[in-house]
Amino acid sequence: CISITYSSDTQLLIPLQNQSEDSSEDEASGATEMDFLRNLFSSTLGLGSVEKVLDELNLEGLARYIQSGKCKNIVCMVGAGISTSAGIPDFRSPGTGLYANLQKYNLPYPEAIFQIDYFKKHPEPFFALARELYPGQFKPTVCHYFMKMLKDKGLLRRCYSQNIDTLERVAGLEGDDLIEAHGTFFTSHCVSFSCRKEYNLEWMKEKIFSDDIPKCDKCSSLVKPGESFPFSLHVIFVKSISLHLSLVSKSCPRLLINMEKAGQADPFFGVLDFGGGMDFDSEKAYRDVAHISTCDEGCLALADLLGWKGELEELVNSEHSRIEAEDQQEKASGAAGAAAETGTPRSAPEDKTTDQQTND
């Protein structure tokens, strides 16, 4: 398994697991726990040493590991940093981050905007953010399409995302490919545990852009994108993502793509090889790689080493062209509908042959 991680703002974390694809998740979980305990006792009691998983603790060593055939399942954990090149600000950058722009709402701390208890009392900040990030205003990045390539090559086990911009879906991840920790705009639910009525994307879009706070037409409780399970389960679910890094097998390489090193083990627990944090620089380091760059640059560099760079660039260009063409068609349809309602003459229709060639 390789684990690629992005932090909440800029990083990508990838664990790369080498278990066979037909193994059950229960078996994988059990093996991981046993492997964790075995290595914990071994390292703590001095009964053995952990062998290096990568021949070099850098992107080149990681690429060789993937090409060796040992890598069967890649897990990506991503945050806001993978969407900044799409034009979406990250959360914490001073002065320009989304949280800075929401300070007029006096958030007690940045993460409050995603917490259901705070949302129930103060829904305004969340929906202000929702208007900024609403689907259809941005195109996926190189990093999003790198994960789509992993899927197409049969290597992506799952992507865990903290983002609500839905760009993973736009890039082509769906179903079991994707876990959205903070929900998705594609479905919304009443937050009342006794109601839970579901609402679709168009209903939520109308509410968000009319500046109305969405409320359930059945019970008058608030409606929130992605809230399909109770708060207690939501907390457990989100925390399980942050713990995923420490639950992967000891033989699982982990890659961090970030503008600085992050997620490192506490020095005390690191001596005992306990706690699951990243170890990039100590004498005991054997599997963790930190690549200091933007997410797009890191993914392009890894794709280049894997011989996929041309394929990735072609995928990004073709998908962006497709999205732009669909946007233009949608705008033209909207303008035509408005013209019909107001009696304004329509523009001359374009040549159908040209349209067909463009679509092809």
Side-chain angles (χ1 to χ4, degrees), residues 8-10 79-91 93 98 138-139 141 143-144 163 165 167 259 294-296:
S8 60
D9 275 350
T10 56
I82 72 168
S83 297
T84 54
S85 63
I88 300 174
D90 64 19
F91 287 103
S93 293
L98 289 170
F138 307 97
K139 295 190 288 288
T141 66
C143 186
H144 290 98
N163 300 333
D165 54 38
L167 291 183
M259 296 301 292
T294 67
C295 293
D296 284 356

mmCIF file with all atom_site columns, all heavy atoms in Angstrom, residues 8-10 79-91 93 98 138-139 141 143-144 163 165 167 259 294-296:
data_model
loop_
_atom_site.group_PDB
_atom_site.id
_atom_site.type_symbol
_atom_site.label_atom_id
_atom_site.label_alt_id
_atom_site.label_comp_id
_atom_site.label_asym_id
_atom_site.label_entity_id
_atom_site.label_seq_id
_atom_site.pdbx_PDB_ins_code
_atom_site.Cartn_x
_atom_site.Cartn_y
_atom_site.Cartn_z
_atom_site.occupancy
_atom_site.B_iso_or_equiv
_atom_site.pdbx_formal_charge
_atom_site.auth_seq_id
_atom_site.auth_comp_id
_atom_site.auth_asym_id
_atom_site.auth_atom_id
_atom_site.pdbx_PDB_model_num
ATOM 1   N N   . SER A 1 8   ? -4.640  19.482 5.619   1.00 0.00 ? 8   SER A N   1
ATOM 2   C CA  . SER A 1 8   ? -5.911  20.189 5.506   1.00 0.00 ? 8   SER A CA  1
ATOM 3   C C   . SER A 1 8   ? -5.815  21.363 4.556   1.00 0.00 ? 8   SER A C   1
ATOM 4   O O   . SER A 1 8   ? -6.811  21.804 4.009   1.00 0.00 ? 8   SER A O   1
ATOM 5   C CB  . SER A 1 8   ? -6.354  20.678 6.880   1.00 0.00 ? 8   SER A CB  1
ATOM 6   O OG  . SER A 1 8   ? -5.390  21.549 7.418   1.00 0.00 ? 8   SER A OG  1
ATOM 7   N N   . ASP A 1 9   ? -4.615  21.880 4.346   1.00 0.00 ? 9   ASP A N   1
ATOM 8   C CA  . ASP A 1 9   ? -4.486  23.000 3.429   1.00 0.00 ? 9   ASP A CA  1
ATOM 9   C C   . ASP A 1 9   ? -3.730  22.636 2.166   1.00 0.00 ? 9   ASP A C   1
ATOM 10  O O   . ASP A 1 9   ? -4.181  22.915 1.075   1.00 0.00 ? 9   ASP A O   1
ATOM 11  C CB  . ASP A 1 9   ? -3.785  24.182 4.106   1.00 0.00 ? 9   ASP A CB  1
ATOM 12  C CG  . ASP A 1 9   ? -4.759  25.045 4.877   1.00 0.00 ? 9   ASP A CG  1
ATOM 13  O OD1 . ASP A 1 9   ? -5.963  24.833 4.712   1.00 0.00 ? 9   ASP A OD1 1
ATOM 14  O OD2 . ASP A 1 9   ? -4.314  25.903 5.644   1.00 0.00 ? 9   ASP A OD2 1
ATOM 15  N N   . THR A 1 10  ? -2.554  22.020 2.268   1.00 0.00 ? 10  THR A N   1
ATOM 16  C CA  . THR A 1 10  ? -1.740  21.893 1.072   1.00 0.00 ? 10  THR A CA  1
ATOM 17  C C   . THR A 1 10  ? -1.200  20.509 0.797   1.00 0.00 ? 10  THR A C   1
ATOM 18  O O   . THR A 1 10  ? -0.517  20.311 -0.186  1.00 0.00 ? 10  THR A O   1
ATOM 19  C CB  . THR A 1 10  ? -0.533  22.851 1.147   1.00 0.00 ? 10  THR A CB  1
ATOM 20  O OG1 . THR A 1 10  ? 0.189   22.588 2.327   1.00 0.00 ? 10  THR A OG1 1
ATOM 21  C CG2 . THR A 1 10  ? -0.977  24.275 1.144   1.00 0.00 ? 10  THR A CG2 1
ATOM 22  N N   . GLY A 1 79  ? -6.728  17.507 1.200   1.00 0.00 ? 79  GLY A N   1
ATOM 23  C CA  . GLY A 1 79  ? -7.317  18.678 1.828   1.00 0.00 ? 79  GLY A CA  1
ATOM 24  C C   . GLY A 1 79  ? -7.403  19.831 0.856   1.00 0.00 ? 79  GLY A C   1
ATOM 25  O O   . GLY A 1 79  ? -7.240  19.662 -0.361  1.00 0.00 ? 79  GLY A O   1
ATOM 26  N N   . ALA A 1 80  ? -7.610  21.029 1.376   1.00 0.00 ? 80  ALA A N   1
ATOM 27  C CA  . ALA A 1 80  ? -7.889  22.195 0.548   1.00 0.00 ? 80  ALA A CA  1
ATOM 28  C C   . ALA A 1 80  ? -6.755  22.548 -0.392  1.00 0.00 ? 80  ALA A C   1
ATOM 29  O O   . ALA A 1 80  ? -6.980  23.167 -1.436  1.00 0.00 ? 80  ALA A O   1
ATOM 30  C CB  . ALA A 1 80  ? -8.206  23.396 1.448   1.00 0.00 ? 80  ALA A CB  1
ATOM 31  N N   . GLY A 1 81  ? -5.518  22.144 -0.049  1.00 0.00 ? 81  GLY A N   1
ATOM 32  C CA  . GLY A 1 81  ? -4.379  22.493 -0.876  1.00 0.00 ? 81  GLY A CA  1
ATOM 33  C C   . GLY A 1 81  ? -4.434  21.949 -2.284  1.00 0.00 ? 81  GLY A C   1
ATOM 34  O O   . GLY A 1 81  ? -3.802  22.509 -3.190  1.00 0.00 ? 81  GLY A O   1
ATOM 35  N N   . ILE A 1 82  ? -5.163  20.875 -2.529  1.00 0.00 ? 82  ILE A N   1
ATOM 36  C CA  . ILE A 1 82  ? -5.195  20.318 -3.879  1.00 0.00 ? 82  ILE A CA  1
ATOM 37  C C   . ILE A 1 82  ? -6.078  21.155 -4.810  1.00 0.00 ? 82  ILE A C   1
ATOM 38  O O   . ILE A 1 82  ? -6.052  20.951 -6.021  1.00 0.00 ? 82  ILE A O   1
ATOM 39  C CB  . ILE A 1 82  ? -5.663  18.846 -3.902  1.00 0.00 ? 82  ILE A CB  1
ATOM 40  C CG1 . ILE A 1 82  ? -7.165  18.709 -3.616  1.00 0.00 ? 82  ILE A CG1 1
ATOM 41  C CG2 . ILE A 1 82  ? -4.862  18.008 -2.940  1.00 0.00 ? 82  ILE A CG2 1
ATOM 42  C CD1 . ILE A 1 82  ? -7.699  17.320 -3.911  1.00 0.00 ? 82  ILE A CD1 1
ATOM 43  N N   . SER A 1 83  ? -6.847  22.094 -4.263  1.00 0.00 ? 83  SER A N   1
ATOM 44  C CA  . SER A 1 83  ? -7.765  22.892 -5.085  1.00 0.00 ? 83  SER A CA  1
ATOM 45  C C   . SER A 1 83  ? -7.331  24.343 -5.254  1.00 0.00 ? 83  SER A C   1
ATOM 46  O O   . SER A 1 83  ? -7.999  25.103 -5.955  1.00 0.00 ? 83  SER A O   1
ATOM 47  C CB  . SER A 1 83  ? -9.174  22.858 -4.469  1.00 0.00 ? 83  SER A CB  1
ATOM 48  O OG  . SER A 1 83  ? -9.698  21.547 -4.452  1.00 0.00 ? 83  SER A OG  1
ATOM 49  N N   . THR A 1 84  ? -6.218  24.736 -4.633  1.00 0.00 ? 84  THR A N   1
ATOM 50  C CA  . THR A 1 84  ? -5.827  26.145 -4.722  1.00 0.00 ? 84  THR A CA  1
ATOM 51  C C   . THR A 1 84  ? -5.479  26.555 -6.147  1.00 0.00 ? 84  THR A C   1
ATOM 52  O O   . THR A 1 84  ? -5.750  27.682 -6.556  1.00 0.00 ? 84  THR A O   1
ATOM 53  C CB  . THR A 1 84  ? -4.637  26.448 -3.794  1.00 0.00 ? 84  THR A CB  1
ATOM 54  O OG1 . THR A 1 84  ? -3.570  25.527 -4.083  1.00 0.00 ? 84  THR A OG1 1
ATOM 55  C CG2 . THR A 1 84  ? -5.033  26.312 -2.336  1.00 0.00 ? 84  THR A CG2 1
ATOM 56  N N   . SER A 1 85  ? -4.890  25.657 -6.938  1.00 0.00 ? 85  SER A N   1
ATOM 57  C CA  . SER A 1 85  ? -4.541  26.014 -8.311  1.00 0.00 ? 85  SER A CA  1
ATOM 58  C C   . SER A 1 85  ? -5.773  26.110 -9.210  1.00 0.00 ? 85  SER A C   1
ATOM 59  O O   . SER A 1 85  ? -5.690  26.590 -10.340 1.00 0.00 ? 85  SER A O   1
ATOM 60  C CB  . SER A 1 85  ? -3.540  25.012 -8.902  1.00 0.00 ? 85  SER A CB  1
ATOM 61  O OG  . SER A 1 85  ? -4.097  23.710 -8.986  1.00 0.00 ? 85  SER A OG  1
ATOM 62  N N   . ALA A 1 86  ? -6.923  25.652 -8.699  1.00 0.00 ? 86  ALA A N   1
ATOM 63  C CA  . ALA A 1 86  ? -8.182  25.819 -9.434  1.00 0.00 ? 86  ALA A CA  1
ATOM 64  C C   . ALA A 1 86  ? -8.792  27.194 -9.183  1.00 0.00 ? 86  ALA A C   1
ATOM 65  O O   . ALA A 1 86  ? -9.803  27.551 -9.787  1.00 0.00 ? 86  ALA A O   1
ATOM 66  C CB  . ALA A 1 86  ? -9.180  24.730 -9.036  1.00 0.00 ? 86  ALA A CB  1
ATOM 67  N N   . GLY A 1 87  ? -8.177  27.958 -8.277  1.00 0.00 ? 87  GLY A N   1
ATOM 68  C CA  . GLY A 1 87  ? -8.693  29.283 -7.944  1.00 0.00 ? 87  GLY A CA  1
ATOM 69  C C   . GLY A 1 87  ? -9.445  29.340 -6.640  1.00 0.00 ? 87  GLY A C   1
ATOM 70  O O   . GLY A 1 87  ? -9.990  30.388 -6.276  1.00 0.00 ? 87  GLY A O   1
ATOM 71  N N   . ILE A 1 88  ? -9.486  28.224 -5.911  1.00 0.00 ? 88  ILE A N   1
ATOM 72  C CA  . ILE A 1 88  ? -10.174 28.173 -4.623  1.00 0.00 ? 88  ILE A CA  1
ATOM 73  C C   . ILE A 1 88  ? -9.150  28.461 -3.528  1.00 0.00 ? 88  ILE A C   1
ATOM 74  O O   . ILE A 1 88  ? -8.159  27.737 -3.403  1.00 0.00 ? 88  ILE A O   1
ATOM 75  C CB  . ILE A 1 88  ? -10.817 26.799 -4.386  1.00 0.00 ? 88  ILE A CB  1
ATOM 76  C CG1 . ILE A 1 88  ? -11.843 26.505 -5.484  1.00 0.00 ? 88  ILE A CG1 1
ATOM 77  C CG2 . ILE A 1 88  ? -11.484 26.742 -3.014  1.00 0.00 ? 88  ILE A CG2 1
ATOM 78  C CD1 . ILE A 1 88  ? -12.419 25.100 -5.417  1.00 0.00 ? 88  ILE A CD1 1
ATOM 79  N N   . PRO A 1 89  ? -9.347  29.495 -2.715  1.00 0.00 ? 89  PRO A N   1
ATOM 80  C CA  . PRO A 1 89  ? -8.372  29.776 -1.646  1.00 0.00 ? 89  PRO A CA  1
ATOM 81  C C   . PRO A 1 89  ? -8.324  28.619 -0.655  1.00 0.00 ? 89  PRO A C   1
ATOM 82  O O   . PRO A 1 89  ? -9.297  27.896 -0.462  1.00 0.00 ? 89  PRO A O   1
ATOM 83  C CB  . PRO A 1 89  ? -8.941  31.042 -0.976  1.00 0.00 ? 89  PRO A CB  1
ATOM 84  C CG  . PRO A 1 89  ? -9.909  31.612 -1.957  1.00 0.00 ? 89  PRO A CG  1
ATOM 85  C CD  . PRO A 1 89  ? -10.452 30.457 -2.735  1.00 0.00 ? 89  PRO A CD  1
ATOM 86  N N   . ASP A 1 90  ? -7.155  28.428 -0.038  1.00 0.00 ? 90  ASP A N   1
ATOM 87  C CA  . ASP A 1 90  ? -7.095  27.442 1.038   1.00 0.00 ? 90  ASP A CA  1
ATOM 88  C C   . ASP A 1 90  ? -7.761  28.044 2.272   1.00 0.00 ? 90  ASP A C   1
ATOM 89  O O   . ASP A 1 90  ? -8.325  29.133 2.222   1.00 0.00 ? 90  ASP A O   1
ATOM 90  C CB  . ASP A 1 90  ? -5.667  26.970 1.311   1.00 0.00 ? 90  ASP A CB  1
ATOM 91  C CG  . ASP A 1 90  ? -4.768  28.083 1.824   1.00 0.00 ? 90  ASP A CG  1
ATOM 92  O OD1 . ASP A 1 90  ? -5.298  29.103 2.314   1.00 0.00 ? 90  ASP A OD1 1
ATOM 93  O OD2 . ASP A 1 90  ? -3.540  27.930 1.747   1.00 0.00 ? 90  ASP A OD2 1
ATOM 94  N N   . PHE A 1 91  ? -7.709  27.349 3.383   1.00 0.00 ? 91  PHE A N   1
ATOM 95  C CA  . PHE A 1 91  ? -8.450  27.802 4.551   1.00 0.00 ? 91  PHE A CA  1
ATOM 96  C C   . PHE A 1 91  ? -7.674  28.755 5.444   1.00 0.00 ? 91  PHE A C   1
ATOM 97  O O   . PHE A 1 91  ? -8.227  29.701 5.972   1.00 0.00 ? 91  PHE A O   1
ATOM 98  C CB  . PHE A 1 91  ? -8.914  26.590 5.377   1.00 0.00 ? 91  PHE A CB  1
ATOM 99  C CG  . PHE A 1 91  ? -10.038 25.847 4.732   1.00 0.00 ? 91  PHE A CG  1
ATOM 100 C CD1 . PHE A 1 91  ? -9.822  24.652 4.069   1.00 0.00 ? 91  PHE A CD1 1
ATOM 101 C CD2 . PHE A 1 91  ? -11.318 26.358 4.748   1.00 0.00 ? 91  PHE A CD2 1
ATOM 102 C CE1 . PHE A 1 91  ? -10.859 23.984 3.454   1.00 0.00 ? 91  PHE A CE1 1
ATOM 103 C CE2 . PHE A 1 91  ? -12.364 25.699 4.140   1.00 0.00 ? 91  PHE A CE2 1
ATOM 104 C CZ  . PHE A 1 91  ? -12.136 24.503 3.488   1.00 0.00 ? 91  PHE A CZ  1
ATOM 105 N N   . SER A 1 93  ? -4.451  30.508 4.982   1.00 0.00 ? 93  SER A N   1
ATOM 106 C CA  . SER A 1 93  ? -3.471  31.517 4.581   1.00 0.00 ? 93  SER A CA  1
ATOM 107 C C   . SER A 1 93  ? -3.887  32.887 5.112   1.00 0.00 ? 93  SER A C   1
ATOM 108 O O   . SER A 1 93  ? -5.018  33.331 4.886   1.00 0.00 ? 93  SER A O   1
ATOM 109 C CB  . SER A 1 93  ? -3.360  31.577 3.059   1.00 0.00 ? 93  SER A CB  1
ATOM 110 O OG  . SER A 1 93  ? -2.800  30.383 2.558   1.00 0.00 ? 93  SER A OG  1
ATOM 111 N N   . LEU A 1 98  ? -9.900  31.195 3.131   1.00 0.00 ? 98  LEU A N   1
ATOM 112 C CA  . LEU A 1 98  ? -11.349 31.255 3.298   1.00 0.00 ? 98  LEU A CA  1
ATOM 113 C C   . LEU A 1 98  ? -11.746 31.609 4.718   1.00 0.00 ? 98  LEU A C   1
ATOM 114 O O   . LEU A 1 98  ? -12.702 32.346 4.946   1.00 0.00 ? 98  LEU A O   1
ATOM 115 C CB  . LEU A 1 98  ? -11.963 29.907 2.887   1.00 0.00 ? 98  LEU A CB  1
ATOM 116 C CG  . LEU A 1 98  ? -11.947 29.611 1.387   1.00 0.00 ? 98  LEU A CG  1
ATOM 117 C CD1 . LEU A 1 98  ? -12.348 28.163 1.133   1.00 0.00 ? 98  LEU A CD1 1
ATOM 118 C CD2 . LEU A 1 98  ? -12.877 30.551 0.634   1.00 0.00 ? 98  LEU A CD2 1
ATOM 119 N N   . PHE A 1 138 ? -15.485 25.880 -10.851 1.00 0.00 ? 138 PHE A N   1
ATOM 120 C CA  . PHE A 1 138 ? -14.059 25.605 -10.908 1.00 0.00 ? 138 PHE A CA  1
ATOM 121 C C   . PHE A 1 138 ? -13.801 24.294 -11.658 1.00 0.00 ? 138 PHE A C   1
ATOM 122 O O   . PHE A 1 138 ? -14.671 23.430 -11.734 1.00 0.00 ? 138 PHE A O   1
ATOM 123 C CB  . PHE A 1 138 ? -13.474 25.502 -9.500  1.00 0.00 ? 138 PHE A CB  1
ATOM 124 C CG  . PHE A 1 138 ? -13.775 26.696 -8.632  1.00 0.00 ? 138 PHE A CG  1
ATOM 125 C CD1 . PHE A 1 138 ? -14.849 26.677 -7.741  1.00 0.00 ? 138 PHE A CD1 1
ATOM 126 C CD2 . PHE A 1 138 ? -13.007 27.839 -8.716  1.00 0.00 ? 138 PHE A CD2 1
ATOM 127 C CE1 . PHE A 1 138 ? -15.136 27.763 -6.944  1.00 0.00 ? 138 PHE A CE1 1
ATOM 128 C CE2 . PHE A 1 138 ? -13.284 28.942 -7.927  1.00 0.00 ? 138 PHE A CE2 1
ATOM 129 C CZ  . PHE A 1 138 ? -14.352 28.907 -7.043  1.00 0.00 ? 138 PHE A CZ  1
ATOM 130 N N   . LYS A 1 139 ? -12.581 24.152 -12.176 1.00 0.00 ? 139 LYS A N   1
ATOM 131 C CA  . LYS A 1 139 ? -12.173 22.923 -12.859 1.00 0.00 ? 139 LYS A CA  1
ATOM 132 C C   . LYS A 1 139 ? -11.169 22.164 -11.990 1.00 0.00 ? 139 LYS A C   1
ATOM 133 O O   . LYS A 1 139 ? -10.350 22.773 -11.302 1.00 0.00 ? 139 LYS A O   1
ATOM 134 C CB  . LYS A 1 139 ? -11.538 23.242 -14.219 1.00 0.00 ? 139 LYS A CB  1
ATOM 135 C CG  . LYS A 1 139 ? -12.490 23.878 -15.211 1.00 0.00 ? 139 LYS A CG  1
ATOM 136 C CD  . LYS A 1 139 ? -11.887 23.942 -16.608 1.00 0.00 ? 139 LYS A CD  1
ATOM 137 C CE  . LYS A 1 139 ? -10.777 24.969 -16.716 1.00 0.00 ? 139 LYS A CE  1
ATOM 138 N NZ  . LYS A 1 139 ? -11.264 26.351 -16.680 1.00 0.00 ? 139 LYS A NZ  1
ATOM 139 N N   . THR A 1 141 ? -7.902  20.063 -10.745 1.00 0.00 ? 141 THR A N   1
ATOM 140 C CA  . THR A 1 141 ? -6.483  20.372 -10.925 1.00 0.00 ? 141 THR A CA  1
ATOM 141 C C   . THR A 1 141 ? -5.712  19.136 -11.408 1.00 0.00 ? 141 THR A C   1
ATOM 142 O O   . THR A 1 141 ? -6.247  18.029 -11.502 1.00 0.00 ? 141 THR A O   1
ATOM 143 C CB  . THR A 1 141 ? -5.875  20.847 -9.601  1.00 0.00 ? 141 THR A CB  1
ATOM 144 O OG1 . THR A 1 141 ? -5.888  19.745 -8.672  1.00 0.00 ? 141 THR A OG1 1
ATOM 145 C CG2 . THR A 1 141 ? -6.679  22.005 -9.024  1.00 0.00 ? 141 THR A CG2 1
ATOM 146 N N   . CYS A 1 143 ? -3.632  17.548 -9.718  1.00 0.00 ? 143 CYS A N   1
ATOM 147 C CA  . CYS A 1 143 ? -3.671  16.580 -8.624  1.00 0.00 ? 143 CYS A CA  1
ATOM 148 C C   . CYS A 1 143 ? -4.945  15.730 -8.666  1.00 0.00 ? 143 CYS A C   1
ATOM 149 O O   . CYS A 1 143 ? -4.902  14.512 -8.473  1.00 0.00 ? 143 CYS A O   1
ATOM 150 C CB  . CYS A 1 143 ? -3.564  17.317 -7.297  1.00 0.00 ? 143 CYS A CB  1
ATOM 151 S SG  . CYS A 1 143 ? -3.440  16.235 -5.872  1.00 0.00 ? 143 CYS A SG  1
ATOM 152 N N   . HIS A 1 144 ? -6.087  16.368 -8.924  1.00 0.00 ? 144 HIS A N   1
ATOM 153 C CA  . HIS A 1 144 ? -7.344  15.616 -9.036  1.00 0.00 ? 144 HIS A CA  1
ATOM 154 C C   . HIS A 1 144 ? -7.255  14.579 -10.162 1.00 0.00 ? 144 HIS A C   1
ATOM 155 O O   . HIS A 1 144 ? -7.681  13.425 -9.996  1.00 0.00 ? 144 HIS A O   1
ATOM 156 C CB  . HIS A 1 144 ? -8.514  16.568 -9.334  1.00 0.00 ? 144 HIS A CB  1
ATOM 157 C CG  . HIS A 1 144 ? -8.893  17.450 -8.188  1.00 0.00 ? 144 HIS A CG  1
ATOM 158 N ND1 . HIS A 1 144 ? -8.465  18.743 -8.075  1.00 0.00 ? 144 HIS A ND1 1
ATOM 159 C CD2 . HIS A 1 144 ? -9.664  17.215 -7.094  1.00 0.00 ? 144 HIS A CD2 1
ATOM 160 C CE1 . HIS A 1 144 ? -8.964  19.286 -6.978  1.00 0.00 ? 144 HIS A CE1 1
ATOM 161 N NE2 . HIS A 1 144 ? -9.685  18.380 -6.353  1.00 0.00 ? 144 HIS A NE2 1
ATOM 162 N N   . ASN A 1 163 ? -12.574 18.092 1.484   1.00 0.00 ? 163 ASN A N   1
ATOM 163 C CA  . ASN A 1 163 ? -13.076 19.220 0.696   1.00 0.00 ? 163 ASN A CA  1
ATOM 164 C C   . ASN A 1 163 ? -14.567 19.088 0.409   1.00 0.00 ? 163 ASN A C   1
ATOM 165 O O   . ASN A 1 163 ? -15.101 17.979 0.335   1.00 0.00 ? 163 ASN A O   1
ATOM 166 C CB  . ASN A 1 163 ? -12.307 19.318 -0.618  1.00 0.00 ? 163 ASN A CB  1
ATOM 167 C CG  . ASN A 1 163 ? -10.822 19.531 -0.398  1.00 0.00 ? 163 ASN A CG  1
ATOM 168 O OD1 . ASN A 1 163 ? -10.432 20.081 0.625   1.00 0.00 ? 163 ASN A OD1 1
ATOM 169 N ND2 . ASN A 1 163 ? -10.004 19.099 -1.328  1.00 0.00 ? 163 ASN A ND2 1
ATOM 170 N N   . ASP A 1 165 ? -15.723 21.031 -2.321  1.00 0.00 ? 165 ASP A N   1
ATOM 171 C CA  . ASP A 1 165 ? -15.845 21.647 -3.646  1.00 0.00 ? 165 ASP A CA  1
ATOM 172 C C   . ASP A 1 165 ? -16.261 20.655 -4.728  1.00 0.00 ? 165 ASP A C   1
ATOM 173 O O   . ASP A 1 165 ? -16.517 21.049 -5.871  1.00 0.00 ? 165 ASP A O   1
ATOM 174 C CB  . ASP A 1 165 ? -14.538 22.339 -4.043  1.00 0.00 ? 165 ASP A CB  1
ATOM 175 C CG  . ASP A 1 165 ? -13.324 21.419 -3.961  1.00 0.00 ? 165 ASP A CG  1
ATOM 176 O OD1 . ASP A 1 165 ? -13.444 20.229 -4.305  1.00 0.00 ? 165 ASP A OD1 1
ATOM 177 O OD2 . ASP A 1 165 ? -12.250 21.902 -3.547  1.00 0.00 ? 165 ASP A OD2 1
ATOM 178 N N   . LEU A 1 167 ? -14.666 18.644 -6.535  1.00 0.00 ? 167 LEU A N   1
ATOM 179 C CA  . LEU A 1 167 ? -13.812 18.509 -7.719  1.00 0.00 ? 167 LEU A CA  1
ATOM 180 C C   . LEU A 1 167 ? -13.305 17.080 -7.907  1.00 0.00 ? 167 LEU A C   1
ATOM 181 O O   . LEU A 1 167 ? -12.976 16.687 -9.031  1.00 0.00 ? 167 LEU A O   1
ATOM 182 C CB  . LEU A 1 167 ? -12.639 19.488 -7.636  1.00 0.00 ? 167 LEU A CB  1
ATOM 183 C CG  . LEU A 1 167 ? -13.017 20.961 -7.785  1.00 0.00 ? 167 LEU A CG  1
ATOM 184 C CD1 . LEU A 1 167 ? -11.777 21.844 -7.754  1.00 0.00 ? 167 LEU A CD1 1
ATOM 185 C CD2 . LEU A 1 167 ? -13.806 21.215 -9.070  1.00 0.00 ? 167 LEU A CD2 1
ATOM 186 N N   . MET A 1 259 ? 4.037   21.981 1.194   1.00 0.00 ? 259 MET A N   1
ATOM 187 C CA  . MET A 1 259 ? 4.998   23.070 1.119   1.00 0.00 ? 259 MET A CA  1
ATOM 188 C C   . MET A 1 259 ? 5.984   23.055 2.289   1.00 0.00 ? 259 MET A C   1
ATOM 189 O O   . MET A 1 259 ? 6.955   23.795 2.302   1.00 0.00 ? 259 MET A O   1
ATOM 190 C CB  . MET A 1 259 ? 4.269   24.417 1.068   1.00 0.00 ? 259 MET A CB  1
ATOM 191 C CG  . MET A 1 259 ? 3.417   24.593 -0.182  1.00 0.00 ? 259 MET A CG  1
ATOM 192 S SD  . MET A 1 259 ? 4.353   24.464 -1.720  1.00 0.00 ? 259 MET A SD  1
ATOM 193 C CE  . MET A 1 259 ? 5.342   25.948 -1.626  1.00 0.00 ? 259 MET A CE  1
ATOM 194 N N   . THR A 1 294 ? 4.192   22.236 -4.361  1.00 0.00 ? 294 THR A N   1
ATOM 195 C CA  . THR A 1 294 ? 2.740   22.272 -4.444  1.00 0.00 ? 294 THR A CA  1
ATOM 196 C C   . THR A 1 294 ? 2.241   20.879 -4.807  1.00 0.00 ? 294 THR A C   1
ATOM 197 O O   . THR A 1 294 ? 3.013   20.028 -5.276  1.00 0.00 ? 294 THR A O   1
ATOM 198 C CB  . THR A 1 294 ? 2.271   23.267 -5.515  1.00 0.00 ? 294 THR A CB  1
ATOM 199 O OG1 . THR A 1 294 ? 2.669   22.773 -6.816  1.00 0.00 ? 294 THR A OG1 1
ATOM 200 C CG2 . THR A 1 294 ? 2.840   24.655 -5.290  1.00 0.00 ? 294 THR A CG2 1
ATOM 201 N N   . CYS A 1 295 ? 0.970   20.649 -4.612  1.00 0.00 ? 295 CYS A N   1
ATOM 202 C CA  . CYS A 1 295 ? 0.402   19.337 -4.928  1.00 0.00 ? 295 CYS A CA  1
ATOM 203 C C   . CYS A 1 295 ? 0.508   19.026 -6.414  1.00 0.00 ? 295 CYS A C   1
ATOM 204 O O   . CYS A 1 295 ? 0.857   17.912 -6.806  1.00 0.00 ? 295 CYS A O   1
ATOM 205 C CB  . CYS A 1 295 ? -1.056  19.280 -4.475  1.00 0.00 ? 295 CYS A CB  1
ATOM 206 S SG  . CYS A 1 295 ? -1.253  19.346 -2.687  1.00 0.00 ? 295 CYS A SG  1
ATOM 207 N N   . ASP A 1 296 ? 0.208   20.005 -7.270  1.00 0.00 ? 296 ASP A N   1
ATOM 208 C CA  . ASP A 1 296 ? 0.285   19.785 -8.714  1.00 0.00 ? 296 ASP A CA  1
ATOM 209 C C   . ASP A 1 296 ? 1.707   19.462 -9.146  1.00 0.00 ? 296 ASP A C   1
ATOM 210 O O   . ASP A 1 296 ? 1.936   18.536 -9.940  1.00 0.00 ? 296 ASP A O   1
ATOM 211 C CB  . ASP A 1 296 ? -0.218  21.021 -9.469  1.00 0.00 ? 296 ASP A CB  1
ATOM 212 C CG  . ASP A 1 296 ? -1.734  21.147 -9.449  1.00 0.00 ? 296 ASP A CG  1
ATOM 213 O OD1 . ASP A 1 296 ? -2.398  20.241 -8.911  1.00 0.00 ? 296 ASP A OD1 1
ATOM 214 O OD2 . ASP A 1 296 ? -2.257  22.155 -9.971  1.00 0.00 ? 296 ASP A OD2 1
#
